[in-house]
Amino acid sequence: MNVFFWVVIGYLILLMSISIVKSFAIKNQEDFMVAGRSVPTYKLVATLLCTWIGSGSLLAGAGLAAQVGLSELWMAAGAWIGIILVFFLAARVRRISQYTVPDILELRYNKWARILGTIVIVIAYTTIVGYQFRGGAFVLELVAGVPQWQGVLLTAAFIITFTAFAGMLSIVSVDIINGAIITIAVLFAVPLVFMNLGGMEYVSTELDPSLFTVFGDHNFLWAMGVFLPTFLLLMGESNMYQKFFSARDEKAAKSAVVWWVIGTIVVETAIATLAILAFSHFNSLSPDSLYHLAVENSEQIILHTARFGTEVGIPIAGGLLLICAAVAIITSTGNSFLLAPSTNITRDIYQRFVNPQASEKRIVVFQRITVLALGVCAYFMLTQFDTILAMAFTAYTMIGAGLTPALLAAFLWKRVTTAGGVASIATGMAVTLLITVLNAVLAEPLLDTAYIVLPSAGASILALVVVSLLTQPDPEEKWRPFYTESGTLADAIKEHKIK
């Protein structure tokens, strides 16, 4: 086994050790689900960054950037704009002090909104966890020659075990390490590759100019097709809301959002740039070369660069740091996206409808069992898609169309009604599932995965607005907890400026 393998194993042992130690501090569901609501700003920034920068960025986003250039950042920009808008909601979300997004949905709408919201989150998040398993398999295959199917099982075992030990308490504890390694590794690699390949002279003479244009070889419709899934996902991201609930106070939640958007823009732009530069070199090599990377394997470009970094000017130490960053990205995202749906099932189904009198110990045990069950489901979801990019778009759309419109309406539109919110969730989920199933069974796909968000989100928003306007307004006690004193987003912005 080479040094890369042993470094990966050592890093995983470090992360697992922290999780085991933190498991002894778990006293109740508040510790397991929201880290005792005591997370300070710096830890919140790190864990938000690590949650968002997952295999979708490391593999799918990098693979897309390698092929289409910086226009891939339309996909990332959806999250950036979403985070900026979330800044004005963060304090209000923390003020409500719930545990899950379906908690919010029932508070504003009814129990059916809670149930449907839970179903949406479970389907979408197990899909996202599934492609973290595949990302881990790519790493193990590259550094140790482990067959992909075995790598998937090993990665799944680690992520499931880690999450089951200490939940949110362990995640926020290790993500301060993960966040630092991700940021340092990527920012270290980009200038080294750039200078080694020849700097601006190489970029201007060897690379296709379309790689650096606004839309690449595509158009505005394509840009919106990749922008909207991440934008809508971010605005309805259950992990994000759960971590806001974990914040020490409202100020910590708002401060974390500022640094989160800065960190996300820097890291995702660096990943895209590294992917473009490195792929241009490795893809140009002879197919017989050990270092050649084909177009169909472009999703592995960052991992390939880490492993064979000396070919593009990255020393062994830099490659090891980059491979640790890949492990950090995959495991931290897998942990967070596994914890969120397990929290939803435990809190929003078991505790709400099945056993409301369950003891704190029983709730924690039940959630740990749920983590295991959802990990198995995530493996099954993985087998239903050909690429990580297809999985990412489908999962993002499920949340963005099924959850985000109703969730945002709870905070931003007093006139939304219970019937409108429930109709929106049901419609967004149904349209996304219908198109996904038809794509799987038809000889030719009904609609490319990059465009599923357009009809799904459109139908969800239409149902929200039309049904709300056709039904009686909800009483004030339904919407009042979701607003600042004056009750509008504009007032919230004004309130922030005054302060």
Side-chain angles (χ1 to χ4, degrees):
M1 296 295 179
N2 58 46
V3 65
F4 286 87
F5 172 79
W6 293 114
V7 167
V8 167
I9 294 300
Y11 191 67
L12 291 176
I13 290 173
L14 171 65
L15 298 183
M16 185 62 75
S17 299
I18 294 173
S19 182
I20 292 172
V21 170
K22 288 295 180 180
S23 69
F24 293 105
I26 298 294
K27 302 292 190 302
N28 51 46
Q29 64 171 321
E30 192 164 88
D31 290 337
F32 196 90
M33 293 180 180
V34 291
R37 302 195 197 278
S38 61
V39 181
T41 298
Y42 74 95
K43 283 189 176 181
L44 198 57
V45 173
T47 194
L48 286 167
L49 178 66
C50 290
T51 298
W52 187 253
I53 308 291
S55 289
S57 301
L58 179 75
L59 301 174
L64 187 61
Q67 297 182 50
V68 307
L70 289 180
S71 60
E72 179 273 336
L73 289 177
W74 280 102
M75 180 178 175
W80 305 345
I81 302 302
I83 295 170
I84 292 171
L85 294 179
V86 160
F87 173 77
F88 299 106
L89 297 179
R92 277 196 270 167
V93 171
R94 176 61 183 85
R95 195 177 305 148
I96 291 173
S97 294
Q98 298 296 314
Y99 290 89
T100 67
V101 164
D103 271 338
I104 296 175
L105 295 176
E106 182 171 18
L107 184 64
R108 178 60 184 86
Y109 303 114
N110 62 16
K111 67 178 182 179
W112 298 111
R114 176 191 283 269
I115 293 170
L116 288 172
T118 299
I119 294 170
V120 167
I121 291 170
V122 169
I123 294 173
Y125 282 30
T126 51
T127 302
I128 292 172
V129 172
Y131 63 74
Q132 309 311 314
F133 294 170
R134 179 172 286 176
F138 285 163
V139 172
L140 291 173
E141 182 180 41
L142 193 64
V143 303
V146 177
Q148 276 201 26
W149 69 271
Q150 292 181 10
V152 167
L153 293 177
L154 291 172
T155 305
F158 177 86
I159 290 176
I160 291 168
T161 304
F162 181 96
T163 308
F165 264 116
M168 184 69 77
L169 203 59
S170 59
I171 290 172
V172 297
S173 298
V174 302
D175 276 353
I176 190 66
I177 301 172
N178 288 337
I181 288 179
I182 291 168
T183 304
I184 293 170
V186 176
L187 295 183
F188 176 77
V190 171
L192 289 178
V193 174
F194 177 75
M195 296 304 297
N196 184 74
L197 292 180
M200 283 305 300
E201 182 179 353
Y202 176 85
V203 171
S204 60
T205 60
E206 300 296 328
L207 299 183
D208 186 337
S210 70
L211 293 173
F212 304 97
T213 58
V214 175
F215 298 119
D217 290 329
H218 298 89
N219 54 29
F220 180 75
L221 183 63
W222 174 86
M224 290 301 97
V226 298
F227 173 91
L228 287 173
T230 51
F231 173 75
L232 293 172
L233 169 68
L234 193 284
M235 298 297 288
E237 218 281 83
S238 188
N239 263 306
M240 174 186 68
Y241 288 92
Q242 191 170 344
K243 286 174 179 178
F244 286 159
F245 295 144
S246 304
R248 182 168 53 195
D249 50 37
E250 295 173 26
K251 183 180 178 181
K254 293 187 73 170
S255 299
V257 174
V258 175
W259 292 106
W260 179 27
V261 69
I262 294 171
T264 303
I265 291 173
V266 169
V267 172
E268 291 198 314
T269 302
I271 288 175
T273 304
L274 180 60
I276 294 168
L277 294 173
F279 186 74
S280 68
H281 173 78
F282 289 117
N283 182 248
S284 67
L285 300 176
S286 167
D288 297 328
S289 170
L290 171 67
Y291 308 116
H292 174 75
L293 189 67
V295 172
E296 58 268 24
N297 295 321
S298 62
E299 289 188 333
Q300 301 181 36
I301 181 57
I302 302 298
L303 302 180
H304 194 83
T305 303
R307 180 64 180 85
F308 303 113
T310 52
E311 284 294 303
V312 287
I314 300 176
I316 291 292
L320 292 172
L321 191 63
L322 199 56
I323 209 73
C324 283
V327 172
I329 286 170
I330 291 164
T331 56
S332 64
T333 305
N335 298 333
S336 292
F337 279 87
L338 190 54
L339 180 67
S342 71
T343 301
N344 293 137
I345 291 176
T346 304
R347 170 80 177 171
D348 302 312
I349 302 298
Y350 177 72
Q351 191 177 6
R352 173 65 177 83
F353 300 107
V354 179
N355 190 0
Q357 305 304 319
S359 66
E360 295 283 354
K361 182 178 180 181
R362 182 177 291 273
I363 289 171
V364 173
V365 170
F366 180 86
Q367 184 163 1
R368 284 173 167 154
I369 294 171
T370 304
V371 165
L372 174 59
L374 287 176
V376 174
C377 292
Y379 175 79
F380 172 77
M381 295 294 287
L382 175 63
T383 65
Q384 306 305 302
F385 296 87
D386 295 327
T387 68
I388 288 176
L389 188 61
M391 293 183 76
F393 278 136
T394 302
Y396 294 178
T397 299
M398 178 64 72
I399 293 294
L403 211 61
T404 299
L407 183 60
L408 290 183
F411 287 98
L412 305 178
W413 191 30
K414 294 178 186 178
R415 183 60 180 83
V416 67
T417 65
T418 295
V422 173
S424 174
I425 299 170
T427 302
M429 177 175 64
V431 174
T432 304
L433 285 175
L434 177 63
I435 296 175
T436 301
V437 171
L438 289 176
N439 278 350
V441 300
L442 294 176
E444 292 291 331
L446 178 68
L447 188 66
D448 188 277
T449 51
Y451 300 102
I452 292 178
V453 68
L454 301 178
S456 300
S460 178
I461 294 169
L462 184 64
L464 178 81
V465 174
V466 171
V467 175
S468 290
L469 294 179
L470 291 177
T471 51
Q472 288 293 318
D474 288 341
E476 182 175 342
E477 58 265 24
K478 268 283 189 182
W479 53 260
R480 176 54 60 188
F482 291 82
Y483 290 84
T484 57
E485 183 177 351
S486 32
T488 67
L489 179 59
D491 291 325
I493 296 172
K494 182 179 178 183
E495 177 187 333
H496 169 71
K497 287 180 178 177
I498 291 173
K499 291 180 178 179

